[in-house]
Amino acid sequence: MSAIEHLPGIDNGLLRFLTCGSVDDGKSTLIGRLLYDTRTILADTLHAITRTSERRGLETVDLSLLTDGLQAEREQGITIDVAYRYFSTGRRKYIIADAPGHEQYTRNMVTAASTANLAIILIDARKGVLTQTRRHSYLAHLVGIPHIIVAINKMDLVDYDRTSYERIRSDYLEFAATLGIGDVRFIPLSALNGDMIVDRGERLAWYQGPTLLDILENAPTAHSERDEAFRFPVQFVCRPQKAGDPKLHDYRGFMGRVESGEIAVGDEVLVLPSEQRTRVKAIEIYGTSLPRAIAEQSVTLLLEDEVDVSRGDMIVRAQKSALVTRRIEAMLCWLGEAPLDPQRKYLIRQTTRETRAAVEAIGYRLDINSLQQMPAERLGMNDIARVFFKLAQPLCVDTYADNRSTGAFIVIDETNNNTVGAGMIL
């Protein structure tokens, strides 16, 4: 009987996680194994990859085919775009982002990592910690992923040798300390044979820790309502004056998504950037009143006073305000094919607010392989740099380390409306 059948019926919510690592370290095979051993592969899909494996002369089913969704990937045998997969164990729902391993696809990894709450960094047990391992670890740390699992894969190719595992673990811990990465867990496994993925297998008896699925099932959720500051960017001001009901003539609700924290009826709030104080009179969702709202809920807030609130404003708790600023300093990943030109103007969109912006300075460009800080006058695609922006209108921000929603922004080329950059406020 599989270990998946022993899981108790507890719902631990949705977990978004990212897999990353070097080329040929087994990312796609790991995801395929997870889907296969949790029995979340459709019969026709399994039949299709079985036939493909047979045509290629393979003795076993190539589970990596489950995530190689692009034709180009199939032709090259590598993952060049982010492939998303969904599965559920009954105890938790998962969204997996399979990020590419090449340096030229750094922007794809940053995009995938921006919404992940956990990263699995694969290391080939034969090769140990490589430049790509350090690069992906830095990017995962940069975008604020709080939990990292270092999966030392292909243990079958080193005869499940404990010494190899311990050496890689020691090397990685030494590197992680230089970046300040705190929450790291290690697991030896063989994605090809399924050891320590869902079932423990019989060849890693010296490892007494949990399986990969056990770690995922018990990983903390993305939000902690008690710890995070309340942030409510206003998306729409609802004023149904034309409604037939006279009671709605004075209705004025502020619609949006609670990005973090929680709020309750009667709480004192501050409207930014105007800094007007008032209290929450009511909280509604689909016409139903709520006593409180929590992170990731889309609700309508009604305020006690007739304060001036527009789309792009942010409602916060009076005691835990955000920074209102016309200048931001950020780590920027350049996504556009055309280089960043400091002489041009761009649009910056942060939560529901948008403003024109100019590059004040490029502090440095990061050499993503050596992690050295290099001087730069322009940025090309996949470059990561420390950049200072001047803003035409004030933004209500937090540092990215404090809040991944209000500390992030995108840069838009106003000539074609393309997203050309993703930033994390320092």
Side-chain angles (χ1 to χ4, degrees):
M1 180 178 288
S2 168
I4 192 70
E5 296 175 327
H6 294 289
L7 295 173
I10 301 172
D11 185 3
N12 280 346
L14 173 67
L15 180 69
R16 296 173 181 268
F17 69 91
L18 169 79
T19 59
C20 48
S22 305
V23 177
D24 292 332
D25 58 6
K27 297 188 299 297
S28 298
T29 303
L30 173 70
I31 295 174
R33 174 61 66 179
L34 261 177
L35 299 176
Y36 182 78
D37 285 358
T38 54
R39 302 175 182 176
T40 48
I41 302 176
L42 297 176
D44 56 343
T45 303
L46 182 59
H47 180 65
I49 65 171
T50 300
R51 292 187 58 187
T52 302
S53 299
E54 291 172 350
R55 284 200 302 271
R56 294 182 179 182
L58 302 176
E59 296 180 355
T60 58
V61 177
D62 184 357
L63 296 173
S64 69
L65 296 174
L66 285 167
T67 56
D68 289 344
L70 299 177
Q71 183 63 32
E73 290 179 58
R74 293 179 187 275
E75 293 172 353
Q76 298 179 41
I78 59 173
T79 304
I80 62 173
D81 204 345
V82 180
Y84 291 94
R85 288 294 181 273
Y86 166 88
F87 77 101
S88 174
T89 61
R91 185 174 183 179
R92 175 165 246 176
K93 301 178 182 65
Y94 296 93
I95 296 176
I96 315 171
D98 180 19
H102 294 67
E103 181 182 355
Q104 62 265 40
Y105 304 121
T106 296
R107 63 173 184 169
N108 304 66
M109 180 184 169
V110 171
T111 302
S114 63
T115 57
N117 196 48
L118 181 148
I120 300 175
I121 296 177
L122 275 85
I123 296 178
D124 188 324
R126 300 168 300 172
K127 300 175 182 176
V129 176
L130 301 176
T131 298
Q132 289 92 330
T133 309
R134 291 189 284 271
R135 180 158 57 91
H136 292 161
S137 298
Y138 177 84
L139 290 172
H141 183 60
L142 175 69
V143 300
I145 295 178
H147 312 293
I148 290 179
I149 299 173
V150 177
I152 301 174
N153 190 25
K154 302 191 179 182
M155 290 296 295
D156 52 302
L157 298 182
V158 295
D159 295 327
Y160 298 93
D161 177 43
R162 182 172 187 171
T163 304
S164 299
Y165 167 78
E166 295 292 352
R167 174 176 50 79
I168 295 171
R169 183 176 182 274
S170 177
D171 290 346
Y172 189 89
L173 281 174
E174 183 179 352
F175 162 72
T178 64
L179 292 183
I181 298 175
D183 186 359
V184 188
R185 303 188 67 169
F186 297 86
I187 182 170
L189 53 85
S190 169
L192 182 65
N193 296 329
D195 298 306
M196 289 298 164
I197 307 293
V198 173
D199 300 307
R200 300 190 65 84
E202 300 176 350
R203 288 156 288 204
L204 285 165
W206 49 264
Y207 171 75
Q208 299 299 311
T211 65
L212 179 62
L213 184 64
D214 287 335
I215 298 175
L216 296 175
E217 292 284 74
N218 294 288
T221 54
H223 288 283
S224 175
E225 296 87 17
R226 293 181 179 178
D227 298 333
E228 295 185 335
F230 173 68
R231 298 291 184 256
F232 185 81
V234 176
Q235 293 183 359
F236 183 71
V237 180
C238 180
R239 301 194 66 182
Q241 295 97 334
K242 295 182 180 179
D245 186 350
K247 295 180 180 178
L248 295 178
H249 287 180
D250 296 325
Y251 186 95
R252 192 160 179 259
F254 306 105
M255 308 176 77
R257 180 178 185 270
V258 180
E259 294 294 343
S260 62
E262 62 179 340
I263 197 72
V265 174
D267 286 348
E268 185 181 22
V269 294
L270 199 63
V271 179
L272 298 178
S274 63
E275 298 189 349
Q276 300 169 92
R277 288 177 183 267
T278 182
R279 290 186 181 274
V280 176
K281 183 171 68 177
I283 302 172
E284 297 179 349
I285 182 169
Y286 300 118
T288 301
S289 296
L290 299 176
R292 63 194 285 265
I294 61 174
E296 299 183 358
Q297 275 189 316
S298 294
V299 297
T300 301
L301 298 185
L302 282 76
L303 304 179
E304 287 188 352
D305 303 296
E306 288 292 329
V307 294
D308 182 17
V309 184
S310 304
R311 172 182 165 81
D313 290 351
M314 187 178 295
I315 299 176
V316 302
R317 281 185 182 275
Q319 301 84 356
K320 293 185 178 181
S321 181
L323 173 67
V324 179
T325 181
R326 288 179 182 268
R327 181 180 184 273
I328 55 175
E329 176 183 358
M331 293 301 294
L332 182 73
C333 179
W334 193 247
L335 311 178
E337 295 182 358
L340 177 144
D341 183 355
Q343 305 304 316
R344 286 191 51 192
K345 299 291 189 300
Y346 293 94
L347 292 176
I348 282 183
R349 182 177 299 160
Q350 179 253 358
T351 63
T352 57
R353 179 169 284 241
E354 191 172 286
T355 179
R356 297 192 76 192
V359 177
E360 184 178 69
I362 300 175
Y364 60 81
R365 182 183 65 81
L366 186 75
D367 184 321
I368 198 63
N369 290 320
S370 66
L371 306 184
Q372 296 295 311
Q373 299 175 6
M374 312 292 289
E377 296 183 353
R378 298 160 73 92
L379 299 179
M381 184 191 293
N382 294 312
D383 278 348
I384 293 178
R386 192 172 191 130
V387 181
F388 301 83
F389 286 100
K390 293 186 297 184
L391 310 174
Q393 301 293 328
L395 293 179
C396 311
V397 305
D398 294 288
T399 64
Y400 188 79
D402 289 336
N403 194 309
R404 292 175 71 181
S405 296
T406 55
F409 63 89
I410 59 172
V411 182
I412 299 170
D413 186 334
E414 59 183 345
T415 63
N416 53 24
N417 211 34
N418 287 337
T419 298
V420 291
M424 291 139 277
I425 298 170
L426 300 173

